[in-house]
Amino acid sequence: MATRSHPPNGHGRSTLALACLSGADLGPKLVSAERALSAIRAGSRVYIGTGCAAPRTLLAQLEAMNPGPADLEFVSFVTTSALPQVEGASRTRYRHRAFFVGSEMVALADSGQLDYVPISLEEVPDLLTSGRLPIDVALLQVSPPDAGGFVSLGVSVDLAPAILSVARMVIAEVNPAMPRTYGESFVHLDRFDALVEVDTPVAEYLHPKIGEVAERVARYIASIIDDGSTLQIGLGRVPNEALRYLRDRRDLGIHSDVITDGIVDLVEAGVVTGRRKTRHRDRIVASYCLGTRRLYDLIDDNPRFEFLPIDQVCHPEEVSRQARMVSITQAFAIDLTGQVCVDQFEGEFYGGVSTQVSFLRGAARSPGGKAIVCLSSTTDNGESRIKPLLDVGDGVGIARSDVHYVITEYGIAYLFGKSIRERAVALIEVAHPRWREELLTAAKELGYVRPDQYLASQAAYSVHEERIVTLKNGVKVMLRPARAADAGALQGLFHRLSEDDVYTRFFRHVRSLSYRELQTLCNVNHETDVAFLGVTGPRENEEVVGSACYFLSPTTNLAEVAFMVAPEFQGVGLGTALQARLQEYAMSRGVRGFVSEILPGNTSMLRLAASAQGTMTTSRDEDAVHMTVLFPDSSSTASTVSEFSSRKAAVSTLPASNYKTLKAAAPKRLHELETMALSGS
């Protein structure tokens, strides 16, 4: 096969006037569709070009031939508008062997005409070249040739280079509407046995609109994608929806098996630049695209886009070399251990293994990469997609050992390196509230979780409540709502405290905290019991360095507060930041104020208490200083909450210096507190 990565002489379409050549220019290979197809023998295995590049004219003619060649088997990756439709369903006289079951193939599966092949696409070229899947005929759609006789594979390179290396006969539609793409897209006319001129619009594909639930999943996905990330999106509706929420990011890159219309706005807005890519810098790398004419016009004769063979694009080693690689896979179901169903649900095959495992493994090994599995928490009929065990008919497409992030409309769970108990708790927390108790009961019966495990919150994880603060030492810390799955991390924080810290926090000498005690510090309802953690590091490797809780009395509408701060983060503003975050949260919910009991010798906590905003009253007995802070009146509260709400919705950056004003506002009360503690009055 003759291929080249760039047009001859380095020129593009504009300099070569690449209009469709006349029949004389194409030579004797230019024939009618009927004549080209008459060379196909009975019993042949015929490959169909992928997606929007399917040769629809040739396929329609082949289906209509009477008599046509008998016992053909079509081989394809994914098809779009390629097959005849009867009453909205695909109809064909031939059998199909597919690596992906799209909507067009579902009816064939029901009629028994489809053989689904579960295989990672990176393995298909070896399957072809080894002779285990011989291809007799390839039917493709290409652009017109340039002056050097090279056509472009256009919107679908994917498996075509591998197919062209083994197919005994190659027939192509030559369509002037086909975009001319760069990369390994060029094939010389010598490789074709017959050419058929067509002049029809290239098939278009647009994802159907998604509902509110999917939008919430998409927002969670977008919330963990950082500036400079490189994205693989896939065919799922939800991952493509997530692109809409990335318009405030900078210097994103694309390295994906497929691209869709979703990237066009990001490219035009300057969000996708590829400047920070470590491979194919400044280039958008893909293997095929499914979209509309708007996307086709963007990629046409555009050297910014490189279309490469699918096995190159999705090979885990290649993917892992791309720093900050983010892979997003949409799933049908997941069990409490992390096994993921992606190509068979409730007994029906749909979707495919495709490139999903390859990209997930590559992204997981990428420096700063994120491997994401997303799904809605329930099916259309309200059944939970998070299950104690996958049901009969739910195929495992992704092993539990390959799963990192799992995102639903109720939050984000991180599973990699976690125990079965930790996985089960994390997944139940992102399940639909209607099913959480049932899942928890099943997890106990299976021995996945402790008999005393409970879940206090039925709400979604509040990513909008996250804040990032910069401390006095320059370290950035995320302040986020605590989750039930944080118990182990809190235990680690407890054991880092000094004996004095433990005593001043718990008013007793204690060597360890029970599991139930740890749960009270993180497994809270976030209404009457509230807990925030200060964490450092990436989400997949967080370290808890601080904890702040309050417990609200319904009779007084006052909340008792408590804090833990790791020794190395004491004195740098973390306690002040945590208290301010608790107060912000409490004031937004109408809490009257905070109460606390502080040992007289705990000057650090006395100073922290004095920095709270509001009116403070204190008393002292032989054991402790009792402090009450009443928050500002309703007008002041509304002003404060409005100020907080005006910050960035998903994540705010609040330097520690912002909190200094709180402390500076109360020098008199601080002096009074210290005097009271020292004098015992």
Side-chain angles (χ1 to χ4, degrees):
M1 179 185 68
T3 65
R4 62 198 313 161
S5 298
H6 302 283
N9 303 319
H11 296 296
R13 165 177 283 192
S14 60
T15 58
L16 291 175
L18 298 174
C20 186
L21 301 184
S22 67
D25 292 320
L26 288 173
K29 291 185 179 182
L30 179 64
V31 296
S32 66
E34 295 86 346
R35 182 175 173 185
L37 297 172
S38 66
I40 299 177
R41 297 179 180 179
S44 293
R45 182 174 282 138
V46 181
Y47 175 79
I48 303 173
T50 293
C52 298
R56 292 177 295 162
T57 299
L58 290 174
L59 291 171
Q61 182 64 38
L62 191 55
E63 292 280 357
M65 288 175 66
N66 189 18
D71 298 327
L72 298 184
E73 181 183 68
F74 287 121
V75 176
S76 64
F77 165 30
V78 60
T79 61
T80 302
S81 305
L83 303 181
Q85 301 290 305
V86 177
E87 297 180 352
S90 301
R91 293 290 185 270
T92 178
R93 58 202 285 192
Y94 299 114
R95 292 194 61 79
H96 284 251
R97 178 181 295 265
F99 305 124
F100 188 94
V101 184
S103 56
E104 195 170 35
M105 289 290 178
V106 171
L108 302 189
D110 294 340
S111 67
Q113 292 177 282
L114 176 68
D115 286 322
Y116 164 58
V117 181
I119 188 173
S120 177
L121 290 185
E122 68 169 294
E123 306 290 349
V124 173
D126 285 342
L127 188 69
L128 297 168
T129 56
S130 68
R132 283 172 286 175
L133 184 64
I135 300 295
D136 300 300
V137 181
L139 300 181
L140 305 175
Q141 184 180 176
V142 300
S143 76
D146 60 23
F150 283 84
V151 300
S152 170
L153 294 169
V155 299
S156 293
V157 172
D158 62 286
L159 294 172
I163 291 292
L164 287 167
S165 71
V166 298
R168 297 186 179 96
M169 179 189 303
V170 182
I171 302 171
E173 295 179 3
V174 180
N175 189 350
M178 177 61 72
R180 191 171 180 84
T181 55
Y182 285 68
E184 296 190 24
S185 172
F186 295 95
V187 184
H188 198 270
L189 289 173
D190 289 346
R191 182 60 187 91
F192 298 92
D193 297 280
L195 300 167
V196 177
E197 279 189 319
V198 299
D199 191 359
T200 58
V202 176
E204 297 187 8
Y205 178 85
L206 193 61
H207 280 94
K209 290 185 177 181
I210 64 175
E212 179 186 354
V213 168
E215 286 184 5
R216 285 160 56 192
V217 180
R219 287 180 183 272
Y220 275 119
I221 295 170
S223 74
I224 66 172
I225 295 176
D226 302 320
D227 291 347
S229 296
T230 294
L231 311 180
Q232 180 264 334
I233 299 302
L235 287 172
R237 298 181 191 179
V238 175
N240 277 272
E241 178 70 11
L243 295 175
R244 292 181 52 204
Y245 303 103
L246 298 176
R247 296 180 185 179
D248 61 345
R249 302 303 194 275
R250 295 181 178 179
D251 293 329
L252 297 181
I254 303 291
H255 182 100
S256 186
D257 48 339
V258 60
I259 54 175
T260 65
D261 275 34
I263 74 161
V264 178
D265 286 340
L266 297 182
V267 171
E268 292 179 347
V271 173
V272 169
T273 65
R275 291 192 189 109
R276 300 195 204 177
K277 292 180 72 175
T278 48
R279 302 273 291 174
H280 304 279
R281 186 174 180 181
D282 301 325
R283 299 288 188 270
I284 294 171
V285 172
S287 198
Y288 67 104
C289 66
L290 295 176
T292 66
R293 194 70 226 179
R294 185 182 180 213
L295 176 62
Y296 302 158
D297 288 342
L298 178 64
I299 66 174
D300 185 31
D301 195 32
N302 189 342
R304 189 175 180 183
F305 290 82
E306 285 189 282
F307 283 80
L308 303 177
I310 195 74
D311 52 311
Q312 291 184 31
V313 173
C314 74
H315 195 286
E317 185 175 342
E318 173 64 26
V319 175
S320 69
R321 291 174 180 168
Q322 193 70 254
R324 299 173 298 279
M325 185 74 206
V326 177
S327 173
I328 310 171
T329 292
Q330 187 169 337
F332 293 127
I334 185 170
D335 72 14
L336 290 180
T337 72
Q339 295 185 113
V340 179
C341 168
V342 292
D343 66 347
Q344 184 189 21
F345 186 58
E346 297 179 344
E348 293 190 4
F349 290 110
Y350 193 82
V353 176
S354 186
T355 62
Q356 295 173 119
V357 175
S358 300
F359 269 108
L360 285 173
R361 289 177 176 170
R365 297 168 189 164
S366 159
K370 293 182 172 72
I372 300 170
V373 172
C374 67
L375 69 167
S376 58
S377 66
T378 60
T379 63
D380 291 342
N381 62 7
E383 296 296 317
S384 181
R385 292 186 184 273
I386 298 176
K387 306 180 179 186
L389 300 169
L390 289 179
D391 297 329
V392 174
D394 293 349
V396 177
I398 301 174
R400 59 172 73 97
S401 57
D402 286 325
V403 177
H404 289 243
Y405 285 96
V406 177
I407 298 179
T408 75
E409 74 273 27
Y410 288 97
I412 304 166
Y414 188 76
L415 305 188
F416 188 75
K418 305 295 185 182
S419 69
I420 295 298
R421 177 183 60 79
E422 292 166 330
R423 287 166 174 250
V425 172
L427 287 169
I428 293 171
E429 283 196 292
V430 298
H432 195 287
R434 181 193 316 143
W435 295 102
R436 289 181 190 174
E437 284 302 323
E438 186 173 320
L439 288 169
L440 183 59
T441 299
K444 291 177 181 178
E445 292 173 352
L446 290 166
Y448 288 173
V449 301
R450 297 169 57 107
D452 58 349
Q453 181 66 58
Y454 66 94
L455 289 176
S457 175
Q458 297 299 310
Y461 175 75
S462 300
V463 69
H464 62 278
E465 298 288 359
E466 294 178 347
R467 304 287 186 270
I468 293 178
V469 299
T470 303
L471 304 181
K472 297 175 184 177
N473 59 1
V475 175
K476 293 183 182 296
V477 175
M478 175 181 283
L479 309 181
R480 65 162 177 82
R483 298 180 283 236
D486 291 320
L490 275 169
Q491 186 178 55
L493 172 62
F494 171 81
H495 285 298
R496 290 160 65 187
L497 300 179
S498 68
E499 289 186 12
D500 287 343
D501 286 339
V502 171
Y503 184 74
T504 55
R505 166 62 178 83
F506 296 97
F507 282 54
R508 58 193 171 97
H509 292 292
V510 57
R511 296 172 62 89
S512 65
L513 296 178
S514 69
Y515 188 72
R516 179 162 288 275
E517 287 174 320
L518 288 167
Q519 288 286 295
T520 63
L521 301 178
C522 60
N523 191 355
V524 295
N525 59 27
H526 290 289
E527 295 294 335
T528 58
D529 299 344
V530 174
F532 279 84
L533 301 182
V535 300
T536 59
R539 289 179 187 267
E540 58 270 22
N541 190 28
E542 289 181 337
E543 181 180 21
V544 175
V545 296
S547 165
C549 312
Y550 76 63
F551 305 95
L552 184 67
S553 167
T555 56
T556 64
N557 196 27
L558 296 173
E560 183 177 358
V561 295
F563 300 88
M564 284 195 297
V565 176
E568 65 272 27
F569 279 84
Q570 295 174 10
V572 295
L574 178 56
T576 305
L578 284 166
Q579 177 173 262
R581 183 67 191 93
L582 270 189
Q583 186 167 355
E584 173 193 351
Y585 191 90
M587 291 174 68
S588 71
R589 282 153 179 77
V591 175
R592 286 180 60 214
F594 286 160
V595 297
S596 59
E597 293 186 1
I598 306 170
L599 290 175
N602 191 355
T603 56
S604 296
M605 267 304 302
L606 290 171
R607 290 178 180 276
L608 178 61
S611 70
Q613 199 175 17
T615 303
M616 187 182 72
T617 59
T618 60
S619 64
R620 161 75 192 264
D621 59 27
E622 61 182 18
D623 296 320
V625 175
H626 304 274
M627 183 205 75
T628 300
V629 174
L630 296 180
F631 298 153
D633 59 32
S634 57
S635 60
S636 299
T637 300
S639 174
T640 301
V641 173
S642 175
E643 176 189 350
F644 286 131
S645 300
S646 68
R647 297 167 179 153
K648 184 178 176 183
V651 178
S652 298
T653 301
L654 306 174
S657 58
N658 288 23
Y659 296 115
K660 291 180 180 178
T661 56
L662 297 176
K663 188 172 180 179
K668 182 177 180 181
R669 78 172 81 160
L670 176 58
H671 176 72
E672 291 172 349
L673 268 175
E674 291 175 329
T675 301
M676 177 184 296
L678 292 171
S679 65
S681 58

